Amino acid sequence: MTDALADRLRAELVDDSFTLSALDPSATPGVDGKKAAKEELDELREELFDLHEKLFAENDRALLLVLQGTDASGKNGTIKHVVRAVNPAGLNVASFDEPTEEELEHDFLWRIRKEVPPPGFLGVFNRSHYEDVLVPLAEENEHFDDVDRRIKEILSFEQELIDSGVTIVKCLLHISYDEQRSRFLRRLRRADKRWKFNEQDLETRRKWDEYRRAYGDVIARTSTEEAPWYVIPSDHKWYRNWAIARLLTAHLRTMGLEYPQPELDLERLRGSLEAPG
Amino acid sequence: MTDALADRLRAELVDDSFTLSALDPSATPGVDGKKAAKEELDELREELFDLHEKLFAENDRALLLVLQGTDASGKNGTIKHVVRAVNPAGLNVASFDEPTEEELEHDFLWRIRKEVPPPGFLGVFNRSHYEDVLVPLAEENEHFDDVDRRIKEILSFEQELIDSGVTIVKCLLHISYDEQRSRFLRRLRRADKRWKFNEQDLETRRKWDEYRRAYGDVIARTSTEEAPWYVIPSDHKWYRNWAIARLLTAHLRTMGLEYPQPELDLERLRGSLEAPG
């Protein structure tokens, strides 16, 4: 897909590698400040609603938004502020937390496959199959040796989706170490946010560099022509919302969606409706 | 639950029976006209968002909105204009169309059970298990003799949900024969609505009285103290949206939802976050 913003945010590889730390999480490419972004977001939300209605009416192809990012990077905020624009009747949000006992008994893609959006739907993965390679790489846990196999399976799984008409938009919400700190402190301070705080998140924060490297590695190996990764500078929430809304509408626009025009004998149908009951 | 609007819209039985035809689908009880309803809807949507966030944070109980009504009665419109107020991460909309081959091989509640909202969620049934008794009653089809058994099973299924912490709000969107005609004509006229038109809907329309009676019968037999039916006069879309938003917030309010306050050693956590990385 060709789009000015998509071209800027798409993860670009240099010599087969990709370094996340080289990107500024507080950058705001492509938009003229916060005020403009907020105004444009309102319009983008309306356009997103309209395009999604056509996707739903067509009932053939689907769109999958994969949201990845560290704790407090704004995955939930994106769902509230961008995804909420569409008709929930054609929306499926799947949040992948720690796998359950039952899920662990199956292959890692088992629970993921159940949430693939059906025709006409926007599917959102709040975390995803990528956790199953990021965590082993960063934590060097018992699945470290499965990473190569899993990456092959991810690539083949995504190709399968693409072949069946699913457009995949993979976004990494990229925040800085300092921004995460201030968001965590805010969660602790506010009585309506405290429930989101998880002591475990501090453990993960201690492995910041390991996770950055794992992301760089995984993005380099799974950003493909048809399902590229986009790295969204996310220290500014207004930028993150604007950028993801822009990417989603850009992808939907290129799908050439139109309302189906069923062949109906309009004269006869109108006549039968206008006849007294 | 006691609430002035809920008390007015709750299906009231007279001598064990209930007659839908006695209710005016263009009535607008409880609100002072369209302008007031629209203004209040904006506030109700915000309140709905907040209450649903608490439900989601609590992660214990759930709310199920059952939407029933004839074609073009506004089930989808309700989802777009009311349900869309909440965070999609805690929302599950299930649309029950004609059962598939696989679904027909199972008991009628099989596909329904799979969509029961998990703890913390708002679940919406766009059509529901009630189709499995309404259609046999109105069409006198091969399942006519299963209706009594199915109604018993529905009552026991709903009691099971209630016992597990699911609040059930059942709404019949009540429109007039004339209003359905004008909505069908509008669908035929507009290129962006025509895809919704289904020739089959005209067959159902011919059995208007049979369906009215079936609704009256089913409501009389399934409106219980804990899971009552609400009959929403729906000829005016603005009234329908306002009334359903009011009912949902009223039910959520009575649940006494609060953000969980985990026991955290705030001093220590703040300290460890403020230490240099």
Side-chain angles (χ1 to χ4, degrees):
Chain A
M1 195 203 55
T2 311
D3 172 85
L5 184 73
D7 292 343
R8 288 179 81 165
L9 299 181
R10 194 178 290 118
E12 295 292 350
L13 308 189
V14 184
D15 295 334
D16 279 341
S17 75
F18 175 78
T19 310
L20 199 55
S21 56
L23 294 168
D24 179 1
S26 67
T28 59
V31 68
D32 189 18
K34 182 172 179 173
K35 189 161 169 284
K38 290 209 162 191
E39 283 166 12
E40 288 180 38
L41 180 61
D42 288 339
E43 290 161 27
L44 287 167
R45 286 169 52 105
E46 281 178 36
E47 188 182 353
L48 198 52
F49 177 85
D50 291 338
L51 288 163
H52 174 261
E53 282 285 277
K54 288 182 184 170
L55 181 77
F56 188 66
E58 180 196 82
N59 193 26
D60 181 27
R61 291 169 292 173
L63 183 68
L64 173 62
L65 171 66
V66 174
L67 292 176
Q68 282 288 153
T70 188
D71 302 304
S73 61
K75 300 180 293 295
N76 273 299
T78 304
I79 292 168
K80 269 183 227 174
H81 297 286
V82 182
V83 171
R84 190 152 63 111
V86 309
N87 181 354
L91 172 65
N92 187 42
V93 177
S95 298
F96 296 103
D97 296 322
E98 292 280 302
T100 62
E101 292 268 324
E102 190 194 13
E103 287 169 353
L104 285 173
E105 281 170 18
H106 293 81
D107 178 74
F108 77 106
L109 288 175
W110 180 75
R111 64 175 186 160
I112 307 288
R113 286 183 181 277
K114 292 198 283 189
E115 301 287 354
V116 168
F121 271 62
L122 166 62
V124 179
F125 285 180
N126 181 359
R127 300 190 188 267
S128 68
H129 42 297
Y130 283 101
E131 291 290 310
D132 299 293
V133 288
L134 290 163
V135 178
L137 279 173
E139 307 275 348
E140 301 195 9
N141 71 12
E142 74 275 22
H143 287 296
F144 186 81
D145 292 335
D146 297 327
V147 168
D148 288 350
R149 176 182 60 80
R150 286 183 173 183
I151 283 187
K152 272 191 206 130
E153 287 173 8
I154 285 174
L155 290 170
S156 131
F157 165 64
E158 292 187 357
Q159 190 58 50
E160 192 188 310
L161 295 194
I162 293 162
D163 293 343
S164 73
V166 181
T167 295
I168 308 175
V169 179
K170 301 187 286 201
C171 293
L172 167 61
L173 310 191
H174 181 44
I175 59 168
S176 65
Y177 190 73
D178 279 353
E179 178 65 20
Q180 189 190 50
R181 172 170 47 215
S182 66
R183 292 188 188 180
F184 277 170
L185 287 170
R186 186 157 170 270
R187 283 189 183 175
L188 290 173
R189 205 164 50 232
R190 287 182 48 170
D192 60 338
K193 302 276 179 198
R194 211 168 282 148
W195 62 279
K196 292 186 186 182
F197 192 86
N198 187 338
E199 196 118 3
Q200 168 76 44
D201 298 350
L202 289 183
E203 290 298 318
T204 308
R205 178 170 165 82
R206 275 185 209 105
K207 299 198 169 153
W208 188 265
D209 293 335
E210 289 86 337
Y211 273 94
R212 292 295 91 177
R213 273 196 297 276
Y215 266 109
D217 186 14
V218 167
I219 287 177
R221 295 167 72 183
T222 58
S223 203
T224 62
E225 177 94 17
E226 285 190 282
W229 273 101
Y230 296 102
V231 180
I232 315 293
S234 296
D235 273 6
H236 296 294
K237 294 173 183 175
W238 56 264
Y239 182 78
R240 173 203 73 206
N241 292 337
W242 173 85
I244 295 178
R246 268 288 313 264
L247 287 176
L248 289 176
T249 50
H251 276 278
L252 285 165
R253 265 185 232 142
T254 61
M255 289 169 78
L257 296 160
E258 294 296 343
Y259 286 109
Q261 298 300 324
E263 290 210 22
L264 296 169
D265 182 346
L266 293 178
E267 282 305 302
R268 183 179 58 76
L269 291 169
R270 281 200 196 105
S272 84
L273 276 165
E274 273 153 4
Chain B
M1 195 203 56
T2 310
D3 172 84
L5 184 73
D7 292 344
R8 287 178 81 165
L9 299 182
R10 194 179 290 116
E12 294 293 351
L13 309 189
V14 184
D15 296 333
D16 279 341
S17 73
F18 174 77
T19 310
L20 198 56
S21 56
L23 295 169
D24 178 3
S26 67
T28 60
V31 69
D32 189 18
K34 182 172 178 174
K35 189 160 170 287
K38 291 208 161 192
E39 283 166 13
E40 288 181 39
L41 180 61
D42 288 339
E43 289 161 29
L44 287 167
R45 285 169 51 105
E46 281 179 38
E47 188 181 353
L48 198 53
F49 177 86
D50 291 338
L51 288 163
H52 174 261
E53 282 284 277
K54 288 182 184 169
L55 182 77
F56 188 66
E58 182 197 79
N59 192 26
D60 181 28
R61 291 170 291 172
L63 183 68
L64 173 61
L65 171 66
V66 174
L67 292 175
Q68 281 289 153
T70 189
D71 302 304
S73 60
K75 301 180 292 296
N76 273 299
T78 304
I79 292 169
K80 269 183 226 174
H81 297 286
V82 182
V83 170
R84 191 153 62 113
V86 308
N87 181 354
L91 173 64
N92 186 42
V93 177
S95 299
F96 295 104
D97 295 323
E98 293 280 302
T100 63
E101 292 269 323
E102 190 194 11
E103 287 169 351
L104 286 173
E105 281 170 19
H106 293 81
D107 179 75
F108 77 104
L109 288 175
W110 180 74
R111 64 175 185 162
I112 306 289
R113 285 184 183 276
K114 291 198 284 188
E115 301 287 355
V116 168
F121 271 63
L122 166 62
V124 179
F125 285 179
N126 181 359
R127 300 190 187 267
S128 68
H129 42 297
Y130 284 100
E131 292 289 310
D132 298 293
V133 288
L134 290 163
V135 178
L137 279 173
E139 306 276 348
E140 300 195 11
N141 70 11
E142 73 275 20
H143 287 297
F144 185 80
D145 292 336
D146 297 328
V147 168
D148 288 351
R149 175 182 61 79
R150 286 184 174 182
I151 282 186
K152 271 191 207 133
E153 288 173 8
I154 286 174
L155 290 170
S156 129
F157 166 64
E158 292 187 357
Q159 189 57 51
E160 191 188 311
L161 295 195
I162 292 161
D163 293 343
S164 73
V166 181
T167 295
I168 308 175
V169 179
K170 300 187 285 199
C171 292
L172 167 61
L173 310 190
H174 181 44
I175 58 167
S176 64
Y177 190 73
D178 278 353
E179 179 65 20
Q180 189 189 51
R181 172 172 44 217
S182 66
R183 292 188 188 179
F184 277 171
L185 287 170
R186 187 158 169 270
R187 282 189 183 175
L188 289 173
R189 206 164 49 232
R190 287 182 48 169
D192 61 336
K193 300 277 179 198
R194 211 167 284 150
W195 63 278
K196 292 186 185 182
F197 192 85
N198 187 338
E199 196 118 4
Q200 168 77 44
D201 298 350
L202 289 184
E203 291 297 318
T204 308
R205 178 170 166 80
R206 276 186 207 105
K207 299 199 171 153
W208 188 266
D209 293 336
E210 289 86 336
Y211 273 96
R212 292 296 90 177
R213 273 197 297 275
Y215 266 109
D217 186 15
V218 167
I219 287 176
R221 296 166 72 183
T222 58
S223 202
T224 63
E225 177 94 16
E226 284 190 283
W229 273 100
Y230 297 102
V231 181
I232 315 292
S234 296
D235 273 5
H236 297 294
K237 294 173 183 176
W238 57 263
Y239 182 78
R240 174 203 73 207
N241 292 337
W242 174 84
I244 295 177
R246 268 288 312 266
L247 288 176
L248 289 177
T249 50
H251 275 278
L252 286 165
R253 265 185 233 141
T254 62
M255 289 169 77
L257 297 160
E258 294 295 344
Y259 285 108
Q261 297 300 324
E263 290 209 24
L264 297 170
D265 183 346
L266 293 179
E267 281 305 302
R268 182 180 58 77
L269 291 169
R270 279 199 197 104
S272 84
L273 276 165
E274 272 153 6

